[in-house]
Amino acid sequence: MSLSRRAKLAWTVVGGVVIAVAIAGVAVLFAFRDTATTLDEEQVGLTVITGGGQPGDYGLYVYATTGYESTDALAGTRHDYPPETYLTIQPGGCGTLVRWQPLEQRYEEWDYCDDGRMAGWDSHQEWFQVANTDEWRCPEPVQTQGEPGESWTIRCARAETGNAAAATEVDSYEVVGFETLTVAGEEVETLHVRTTIAGTGGSASTGQHDTWYLVGTHLPVRRVVVHDSTTDTRIGAVQYHEEAEINLTSLIPRG
């Protein structure tokens, strides 16, 4: 075989390999394509149990929303939150479950006992069609509200899952004070609580969550969140960022 024919054959083989790799890459990206699906009120409220119709009762609440979450996993992606999201207050768990769900692929759910303390919370994300729910549990129910000027620290843990290593989170609570906010033209008294996040172990996390609760209830009137974490996963260290603000649009639950 002449040198020129050998060179042509070599380039043909190389070209075939490049094409095969490109096709494989496209197939992988297609198989793991990411989606962010918004939910409407009917979907969220389909199974909601309603209470007496008063602020803080069981039911569905609507929030004006800004924000997003992002990750650097695989090629990296971002989920923008819709301008209207929903929170439900329902019986369950230790007594009452409060869930905010901006997307089908994202929710945060807090489990409150009848005495007002929190037993733990679940944090759910789905990226590239791989779902993961972090179940954070506290050794005993913890205080999340108090009197202005009070501060305290809680320690809760997440067991190892198929997608993430075990981790511990130490949250520092500070009751900033009573503040008046406006909801649908009506002034309401709220209790402003600030939580500073410090996670160790399988998730190194930092963040600040400010929540304005309707006094005497678990209902957030306003909530501002900034959260960053690096988590040990099956595909290596994955960085996550979330920032969001939600504001209640009506004190009366729907459903």
Side-chain angles (χ1 to χ4, degrees):
M1 183 182 295
S2 67
L3 182 61
S4 61
R5 290 186 63 188
R6 288 177 181 175
K8 289 180 180 179
L9 179 59
W11 279 112
T12 300
V13 171
V14 170
V17 170
V18 170
I19 292 172
V21 169
I23 292 173
V26 170
V28 168
L29 289 175
F30 181 79
F32 290 96
R33 66 189 185 280
D34 188 54
T35 58
T37 309
T38 59
L39 298 170
D40 60 32
E41 182 178 338
E42 182 178 356
Q43 290 173 300
V44 177
L46 191 61
T47 59
V48 167
I49 296 172
T50 57
Q54 297 301 308
D57 283 347
Y58 296 148
L60 180 147
Y61 296 85
V62 182
Y63 290 80
T65 304
T66 59
Y68 67 93
E69 62 173 353
S70 63
T71 181
D72 70 347
L74 297 180
T77 191
R78 165 173 162 156
H79 295 165
D80 290 311
Y81 295 150
E84 186 173 88
T85 60
Y86 307 98
L87 178 142
T88 58
I89 299 180
Q90 295 288 274
C94 191
T96 300
L97 296 175
V98 177
R99 175 187 286 206
W100 175 62
Q101 184 162 11
L103 299 168
E104 182 179 320
Q105 294 81 10
R106 173 77 178 104
Y107 70 77
E108 202 82 9
E109 183 174 79
W110 301 270
D111 183 2
Y112 293 102
C113 300
D114 292 336
D115 62 3
R117 295 184 299 164
M118 182 179 67
W121 69 95
D122 290 350
S123 185
H124 178 86
Q125 288 103 12
E126 181 178 323
W127 300 100
F128 301 100
Q129 303 179 59
V130 177
N132 183 74
T133 303
D134 290 337
E135 298 179 351
W136 294 91
R137 297 296 177 261
C138 309
E140 59 183 28
V142 296
Q143 176 184 352
T144 59
Q145 298 187 41
E147 295 298 323
E150 284 189 326
S151 62
W152 63 94
T153 299
I154 69 169
R155 180 184 296 269
C156 303
R158 179 195 71 202
E160 181 177 357
T161 69
N163 295 320
T168 299
E169 189 169 292
V170 178
D171 296 344
S172 299
Y173 282 78
E174 174 193 358
V175 182
V176 179
F178 293 108
E179 298 178 14
T180 301
L181 299 181
T182 301
V183 179
E186 179 181 349
E187 290 189 345
V188 295
E189 187 176 36
T190 68
L191 182 67
H192 181 186
V193 179
R194 175 169 295 150
T195 310
T196 303
I197 310 299
T200 59
S203 287
S205 59
T206 60
Q208 181 172 296
H209 303 173
D210 284 88
T211 306
W212 288 258
Y213 295 98
L214 181 67
V215 172
T217 75
H218 298 303
L219 177 65
V221 174
R222 183 182 183 221
R223 181 170 167 84
V224 179
V225 170
V226 177
H227 194 102
D228 289 280
S229 67
T230 301
T231 300
D232 295 332
T233 73
R234 292 181 298 174
I235 61 172
V238 171
Q239 294 184 1
Y240 173 82
H241 175 77
E242 180 178 45
E243 54 184 80
E245 178 175 343
I246 62 173
N247 288 277
L248 187 64
T249 62
S250 174
L251 291 167
I252 305 304
R254 301 184 186 180

